[in-house]
Amino acid sequence: MKRRALGCCLLLVLAGCGSKSDERPPVFPVSGKVLSKNQPVEGAMLMFHPTTPAHKNFSGYAKTDKDGLFKVSTFNAFDGAPEGDYSVTITWPTVVPEDGGYGDDRYQGKFNNPATTPFKAKVAKPATELAPFEVPQ
């Protein structure tokens, strides 16, 4: 009986050791730009919220550079996002000089709700260059 219980426990442990990467959908490079008044927005943070049901658990994220450019990351840095449709939320936090942390969102949360954001994206293979997101002030 002890041997059977030990065998069952071992099977449960081994079942839990499977690689999660086997469950990951393929991702494709995604890049774009964030502008405000036709000027690049540095330090904006974007979240790509899947609206495609099959990928609902795989959100992507990005941060803009000094030129307003970004590349999306989902599982690894700049790996892209699964193919499908997304609602894109954008925040632009102030930087707290004392500690380099983040302060308030300059957009005051206006574009931070996936259900109401005006920003949408469609990711396709082999790669997607998005049209610039023009964020009103």
Side-chain angles (χ1 to χ4, degrees), residues 14-26 58 75:
L14 289 175
C17 290
S19 171
K20 292 289 183 191
S21 65
D22 295 340
E23 299 170 14
R24 293 179 178 178
F58 302 105
F75 305 115

Side-chain angles (χ1 to χ4, degrees), residues 36-113:
S36 184
K37 296 184 180 175
N38 217 24
Q39 297 299 310
V41 175
E42 179 180 6
M45 296 185 177
L46 297 86
M47 285 294 300
F48 284 69
H49 305 271
T51 59
T52 305
H55 301 309
K56 69 179 181 177
N57 295 324
F58 302 105
S59 296
Y61 61 93
K63 182 177 177 183
T64 59
D65 65 14
K66 66 181 178 62
D67 297 316
L69 301 172
F70 66 85
K71 292 181 180 179
V72 176
S73 303
T74 298
F75 305 115
N76 298 304
F78 314 122
D79 60 348
E83 187 173 21
D85 296 314
Y86 293 82
S87 288
V88 181
T89 55
I90 301 175
T91 58
W92 188 21
T94 57
V95 176
V96 179
E98 297 82 42
D99 63 9
Y102 297 113
D104 295 333
D105 177 12
R106 294 176 187 148
Y107 299 133
Q108 300 174 340
K110 187 175 181 180
F111 309 111
N112 199 23
N113 184 334

